[in-house]
Amino acid sequence: MQWLKVGLFCSIFALGACQTVAPTKQQRPQLPDATENRNLAEKRIQQKQNKPIIALVLGSGGARGYAHIGVIQVLEQAGIKPDFIVGSSAGSIVGSIYASGKNSKQLEQIALDMKAADVRDIKVGLKGFFDGQKVEDYVNKQVNAQTLEHLRIPMYVVATELKEGKRVVFNSGNTGQAVRASIAIPSMFIPTKIADKEYVDGGLVSPVPVNVARQLGADIVIAVDILAQPVNTQTSNMWGLFNQNINIMQSQLAEQELGKADIVIQPDLQSKTHIFDVSMRQETIEAGHQAAQLKLKQLQHLAEQQQVQAISP
């Protein structure tokens, strides 16, 4: 969803982006069509006798998105590499940079080195006061200006089409622009305009997009849920009430999808009282690492299953 420091950290390595890639010079994000779905289905059939197709689903959650990095660290240690990644809001930032070829150590360094000025752009308007262009530019810089279809790991970015409130999934074109759409929290970020349509935060409709992964042919889904739990949210002021409204809505949506995941990783992030708190980046990464460690036996079993099926005739 976003990454702002002291209310100004615009969405990177949490929720949410040096070379600017203008939309007119780089293909705009496109929605997946039957071709992409068929390609994944064919891949699924081809691999079925060797190993299951694994999807890593990275959910929304503001500055809690740093925890995704800790989870990826454990997956690497267990020898698990996803066949594709689905990311919503914060998850789209971490997922896209990881999919570009960065490893977990590089992800952590990028997160710790990032400065608010790298992604912060205030542009007060009737529809919001954060533009999101710097987020787009930052992500494109980190992925070396690769478009979604050219990332090393197939990447699917979830956003919400504003007019009809529909979930959309970007899987080709300008990576940074797709992420910019996915992290655009309504009333805070100005909606991202793509091909005459406006897009906002993917977490509004699919905070942990397990259903997308299933629809794309995943045999096994590893889902990372970093949402704030309503019970841990302070509601003594206007900001707390705003958070609570979001938390209640997203928790209900996420519950419906998490039941369809094979492995659910939920970092303990109670100390993260709001989506813009980025004061404890290292601790948040460690929370993700610890939560994934609790699922290590399941992950190791999954890795063993991959190895056995890969050598089976």
Side-chain angles (χ1 to χ4, degrees), residues 20-33:
T20 299
V21 182
T24 55
K25 295 182 180 179
Q26 189 175 19
Q27 182 184 359
R28 294 177 181 276
Q30 302 294 318
L31 305 186
D33 58 22

Side-chain angles (χ1 to χ4, degrees), residues 111-130:
L112 297 177
D113 288 345
M114 188 194 62
K115 300 177 177 61
D118 294 336
V119 294
R120 181 181 62 202
D121 51 358
I122 299 175
K123 183 179 179 181
V124 178
L126 295 177
K127 294 185 178 181
F129 47 90
F130 293 113

Side-chain angles (χ1 to χ4, degrees), residues 157-216:
V157 175
V158 177
T160 303
E161 195 278 311
L162 182 60
K163 186 71 172 180
E164 298 184 19
K166 291 182 178 180
R167 183 191 70 197
V168 295
V169 184
F170 297 125
N171 72 335
S172 66
N174 186 329
T175 301
Q177 190 181 47
V179 170
R180 177 182 177 180
S182 184
I183 60 88
I185 308 170
S187 300
M188 301 190 72
F189 286 84
I190 297 169
T192 301
K193 194 169 185 179
I194 302 171
D196 299 324
K197 290 188 177 182
E198 291 183 317
Y199 297 90
V200 293
D201 196 341
L204 292 178
V205 291
S206 193
V208 192
V210 174
N211 288 341
V212 172
R214 290 298 186 194
Q215 291 164 5
L216 290 170

Side-chain angles (χ1 to χ4, degrees), residues 3-5 7-10 115-122 130-132 134-135:
W3 293 62
L4 270 123
K5 187 160 188 173
L8 291 179
F9 201 8
C10 188
K115 300 177 177 61
D118 294 336
V119 294
R120 181 181 62 202
D121 51 358
I122 299 175
F130 293 113
D131 181 57
K134 277 197 170 183
V135 174

Side-chain angles (χ1 to χ4, degrees), residues 36 41 45 66 88 100 116 144 154 175 182 191-193 198 221-222 237 263 304 309:
E36 277 72 32
I45 293 171
Y66 287 106
S88 184
S100 73
N144 297 318
T175 301
S182 184
T192 301
K193 194 169 185 179
E198 291 183 317
V221 175
I222 301 171
N237 53 51
I263 298 176
E304 292 168 1
Q309 293 187 348

Side-chain angles (χ1 to χ4, degrees), residues 69 72 76 97-98 101-108 110:
I69 299 170
I72 291 171
E76 285 186 346
I97 297 175
Y98 178 50
K102 301 288 196 300
N103 59 36
S104 62
K105 185 175 181 180
Q106 290 172 310
L107 282 177
E108 181 173 8
I110 289 169

Side-chain angles (χ1 to χ4, degrees), residues 273-304:
T273 57
H274 61 77
I275 57 178
F276 296 134
D277 181 3
V278 295
S279 61
M280 300 173 66
R281 303 182 197 191
Q282 190 69 65
E283 291 85 349
T284 306
I285 293 171
E286 180 59 27
H289 190 279
Q290 292 177 2
Q293 285 284 350
L294 295 176
K295 302 286 184 175
L296 191 56
K297 287 187 178 180
Q298 289 177 263
L299 293 171
Q300 288 173 335
H301 177 72
L302 176 58
E304 292 168 1

